[in-house]
Amino acid sequence: LRLPDVGELSNGLKVLTVPDESGMCGVGLFTRAGCRFENEKTCGMSWLLERMVCKGNTKYNEEEVLQMAYDLGGFTMVAEYREAMYYSAQCFKWHLPECLDMLTHIAFKPTFDPKGLEAGKLQAMMDISFQYRQPSYVLFEHLHQTAFSGSTIGHRHWPDPEDIANINAADLHAYVKQFWHPERVAIVVSGASQDEVKPILEHIFREMPPFENPKEEVSSEKAVYTGGSAMIYNEEPPPTSDEKFQDRNHTHCGLVFQGLPESHPDFMALVVLQEYLGGGTAFSQGGPGKGMYTKLY
């Protein structure tokens, strides 16, 4: 496995490249953002921002973003996790300048026009409702909150509908300025070299206004595993689940142990053990109902 070449743009943004001769490029823009770094004031920002990816920016409107994604092959992704967020795309190498231009404007220069913002809010609220129809998702949400006492990684990942409703365009612009800032962002490109990628990015960022320093510092509090227990009793029947073989009246429970960081010498042994025990997706041979179904992670 080849390690990436690491470079830096004149604005301080990190660039990682893994050149090869495939003729294809994978592009990813990663930043340290997510519910881990949010508070009651900013709760739901990353959740909503994920759903604003195609709503237009200072260079491309919504239709142009969708058309570009289609022209580049239609393989674009956006995702936010508890402590990271990314935009990614795959393209032929000769489309790399257009691909980088599209993703950087989506990430750094969104517009959040009223129509697009309302559509994004509606989608965000629908997705929150969908999550609560998945018992295993609800279980892991409570497990994180309990294991880290509701702080850092234990912050609420799913905002309340009221949190989403209270977010306005100014709030999102402030969030982007704070978290999509060179000191927190890395751009990763496979299929091209530093000499090929850096001139393209330098040209793109020269056409953008310079980055402003964030007005507020992001919390750097270390995640501390505390453990604990939580019992949630529903007095009302839960909504019908979307999961196959799922009984709405089942009791769902989880038992969690502190894991190991990637830097630990026993990390790979733990990964192998996890897969051996099931990895979260293993049915016993013969399908459901014929043995243990494990969701061990």
Side-chain angles (χ1 to χ4, degrees):
L1 178 64
R2 174 174 176 171
L3 295 176
D5 300 320
V6 181
E8 185 174 310
L9 301 182
S10 57
N11 59 16
L13 199 150
K14 296 289 189 298
V15 179
L16 290 78
T17 57
V18 183
D20 60 44
E21 304 300 325
S22 66
M24 296 292 295
C25 288
V27 181
L29 277 65
F30 299 82
T31 186
R32 288 178 291 144
C35 65
R36 171 175 180 164
F37 307 103
E38 295 176 356
N39 51 43
E40 290 304 314
K41 180 182 177 181
T42 58
C43 181
M45 293 287 192
S46 57
W47 182 271
L48 178 56
L49 189 60
E50 179 185 359
R51 287 144 185 89
M52 298 292 296
V53 60
C54 293
K55 298 297 187 287
N57 51 70
T58 57
K59 187 170 184 178
Y60 305 105
N61 61 36
E62 183 175 355
E63 292 183 358
E64 290 171 329
V65 171
L66 294 172
Q67 186 62 51
M68 286 190 70
Y70 176 81
D71 292 342
L72 293 174
F75 191 81
T76 56
M77 292 183 64
V78 55
E80 58 87 26
Y81 302 101
R82 293 185 176 273
E83 51 186 344
M85 183 174 186
Y86 74 87
Y87 300 113
S88 68
Q90 187 175 353
C91 66
F92 288 108
K93 191 171 183 177
W94 57 79
H95 284 315
L96 182 59
E98 295 94 326
C99 185
L100 286 169
D101 193 50
M102 179 186 72
L103 288 181
T104 51
H105 279 85
I106 287 174
F108 295 101
K109 294 299 174 184
T111 51
F112 307 126
D113 65 89
K115 182 180 178 181
L117 182 55
E118 288 305 311
K121 285 185 174 183
L122 179 61
Q123 184 63 54
M125 292 182 185
M126 289 175 59
D127 289 345
I128 293 171
S129 175
F130 173 77
Q131 299 287 19
Y132 279 104
R133 298 170 68 92
Q134 309 295 322
S136 59
Y137 292 1
V138 177
L139 182 65
F140 274 92
E141 176 73 359
H142 287 299
L143 286 174
H144 275 89
Q145 293 181 24
T146 303
F148 294 91
S149 298
S151 63
T152 60
I153 298 177
H155 280 161
R156 287 188 296 142
H157 190 197
W158 306 343
D160 294 328
E162 294 77 15
D163 297 322
I164 298 298
N166 291 332
I167 296 174
N168 57 42
D171 296 329
L172 286 173
H173 280 299
Y175 188 86
V176 170
K177 286 182 180 179
Q178 186 174 35
F179 286 94
W180 283 95
H181 192 272
E183 65 183 17
R184 304 186 68 85
V185 177
I187 297 180
V188 183
V189 180
S190 65
S193 66
Q194 291 279 323
D195 291 338
E196 294 169 313
V197 174
K198 288 174 65 175
I200 299 172
L201 289 172
E202 292 284 8
H203 175 74
I204 292 172
F205 284 109
R206 272 199 303 270
E207 295 183 340
M208 292 184 182
F211 287 97
E212 301 177 12
N213 292 326
K215 295 182 179 180
E216 298 181 11
E217 290 187 5
V218 179
S219 172
S220 59
E221 181 183 358
K222 183 179 179 180
V224 178
Y225 178 88
T226 60
S229 62
M231 302 281 288
I232 295 94
Y233 176 74
N234 292 322
E235 295 183 352
E236 298 180 2
T240 302
S241 173
D242 293 325
E243 292 185 1
K244 194 175 182 181
F245 310 120
Q246 184 63 62
D247 188 309
R248 60 186 289 166
N249 294 318
H250 278 175
T251 296
H252 301 270
C253 61
L255 181 63
V256 177
F257 300 93
Q258 185 177 12
L260 300 173
E262 292 184 359
S263 58
H264 196 282
D266 292 332
F267 177 75
M268 289 308 300
L270 180 62
V271 171
V272 173
L273 177 62
Q274 166 191 311
E275 293 298 320
Y276 181 74
L277 292 173
T281 58
F283 270 112
S284 61
Q285 187 174 3
K290 298 182 176 62
M292 183 180 75
Y293 174 37
T294 174
K295 281 193 174 182
L296 293 169
Y297 283 89

